[in-house]
Amino acid sequence: LHDALPISMKKVFSFFLAAVLSVTVLNAQTVDEILNNYFENVGGLEKWKAMESMKMIGKAPSPQGDFPVTVYSKKPNKVKVVVDIQGKELIPQAFDGEVAWGFNPMAGGTTAQKLPAEATKAISNDADFEPEYINYADKGHEITLEEGTEEIDGVECFKLKIVKNKNNDKDETTKYHFFDTENFVPIMYRETIQEGPAKGTITETYLSDYQETEYGIIMPYDIETRIGGQVGQKIIIEKVEINGDMA
C-alpha cells in the first residue's frame, strides 16, 4: 500500500504514522511516569516489592456503633477480614489462595462455610497482595491514560484505565483508578460488579487520610466504598503492621 502511493501521499502517510506512534509512546511514558511518581511519593517501589504480609487494624462505623475490624493479607493472594460484633468474631470473607469461606455466628453459624462459586470468583479476582501497577505488563494487565482529567470530590485527577488480565488466561476485568494530579496518589477506584445480584452496579472506593506506616510506606487510613452512589462500607484504619506477626 505504501509503495503504491504518490510521493506527496507517502509523505502524508509517513507523517501520520509517525504522529500515531509518537502519541502511543507518549501515552505509555505518561502512564509509567504517573506510576513511578506514585511509588516514589509513598515510600519507594523496592519497599513495596519487599512486603510479604500486612495486618490492618481499624474500625467500621455504623448506626449501632464502631465495630473493630482487622484485615489480614499475605502474598501472593491470601486475605481474611475479621469483624468483632459485641464480642463475637464475624468473618465475612476469607481466601486461602484457592477456597473462599466465611463465618457468621450472628446467623447461628458454628463453623466456617465455603462461599458460593460467584463470591469465590469475585474475591479471587481482587485478592492479589501486590498492586496491579507493579510489573503490570508482565502480569498481563493493560494500563492506559484516558484523555483529559476528571474532578473527584474537588480534586483534579488523572484517569487510568486498568484492564486486568487482558493478556493472560484469567478473567478480564476493567476498572478506573483516579490519581491526584498534584500528589500522584489514587483517591478513588471505580469498577462495575461482575457477578451476583448486584451485577452491573457501579462501585466507587474513596481513599483519603494518607499516613506513613512504621514500615515507611504511606497508605490511606480512610477507605469508603459507595455502591450505586450510596455509602456501603467505611473503614478507618488505626494501625498497619507490615511483615509482622499475623496472629
Side-chain angles (χ1 to χ4, degrees):
L1 174 62
H2 189 272
D3 289 337
L5 293 173
I7 297 297
S8 59
M9 287 302 295
K10 285 183 180 180
K11 291 182 178 179
V12 172
F13 184 87
S14 298
F15 176 81
F16 175 75
L17 180 61
V20 170
L21 290 175
S22 66
V23 169
T24 302
V25 172
L26 177 61
N27 184 59
Q29 289 177 337
T30 303
V31 168
D32 290 339
E33 181 179 84
I34 292 170
L35 297 180
N36 289 339
N37 283 332
Y38 160 68
F39 282 116
E40 182 178 349
N41 288 354
V42 299
L45 180 58
E46 294 309 312
K47 276 188 173 292
W48 272 103
K49 289 182 176 181
M51 291 169 58
E52 297 291 331
S53 66
M54 182 189 306
K55 180 166 71 173
M56 296 190 297
I57 303 167
K59 58 186 178 182
S62 79
Q64 291 75 39
D66 294 343
F67 296 117
V69 175
T70 304
V71 180
Y72 301 87
S73 54
K74 188 176 182 180
K75 275 186 176 178
N77 58 352
K78 296 181 179 181
V79 63
K80 182 171 72 171
V81 179
V82 179
V83 184
D84 186 316
I85 300 180
Q86 298 177 343
K88 292 186 176 181
E89 187 178 87
L90 166 70
I91 303 176
Q93 67 179 46
F95 184 65
D96 64 6
E98 295 182 2
V99 178
W101 54 275
F103 174 59
N104 186 3
M106 311 303 291
T110 57
T111 59
Q113 299 294 319
K114 186 176 179 180
L115 297 182
E118 282 190 341
T120 298
K121 184 177 179 181
I123 294 172
S124 175
N125 286 340
D126 289 329
D128 295 338
F129 180 84
E130 196 173 73
E132 294 108 324
Y133 319 135
I134 298 179
N135 299 330
Y136 64 88
D138 294 339
K139 294 175 181 175
H141 309 328
E142 179 185 81
I143 303 181
T144 54
L145 177 63
E146 297 284 279
E147 185 177 349
T149 58
E150 185 167 329
E151 191 172 291
I152 304 296
D153 284 354
V155 178
E156 184 179 13
C157 295
F158 296 116
K159 183 179 181 181
L160 297 188
K161 179 181 180 180
I162 300 176
V163 184
K164 189 175 179 180
N165 301 322
K166 181 174 182 178
N167 300 310
N168 60 40
D169 58 359
K170 299 179 182 179
D171 291 335
E172 180 180 312
T173 57
T174 299
K175 58 184 71 176
Y176 296 89
H177 287 196
F178 295 83
F179 282 72
D180 178 348
T181 58
E182 182 178 352
N183 300 303
F184 294 95
V185 294
I187 65 170
M188 195 262 275
Y189 305 146
R190 179 185 294 153
E191 59 185 302
T192 301
I193 296 175
Q194 301 295 317
E195 308 287 344
K199 183 177 180 179
T201 304
I202 294 176
T203 67
E204 296 179 335
T205 302
Y206 290 80
L207 314 170
S208 59
D209 190 20
Y210 276 83
Q211 298 182 33
E212 185 174 3
T213 67
E214 293 180 357
Y215 179 74
I217 286 289
I218 296 173
M219 303 182 64
Y221 275 54
D222 191 302
I223 305 170
E224 179 180 289
T225 300
R226 302 175 192 174
I227 303 175
Q230 303 296 316
V231 176
Q233 176 181 298
K234 184 179 178 72
I235 297 179
I236 298 173
I237 305 301
E238 297 170 330
K239 185 177 182 181
V240 178
E241 299 176 1
I242 296 174
N243 294 345
D245 185 2
M246 294 294 285

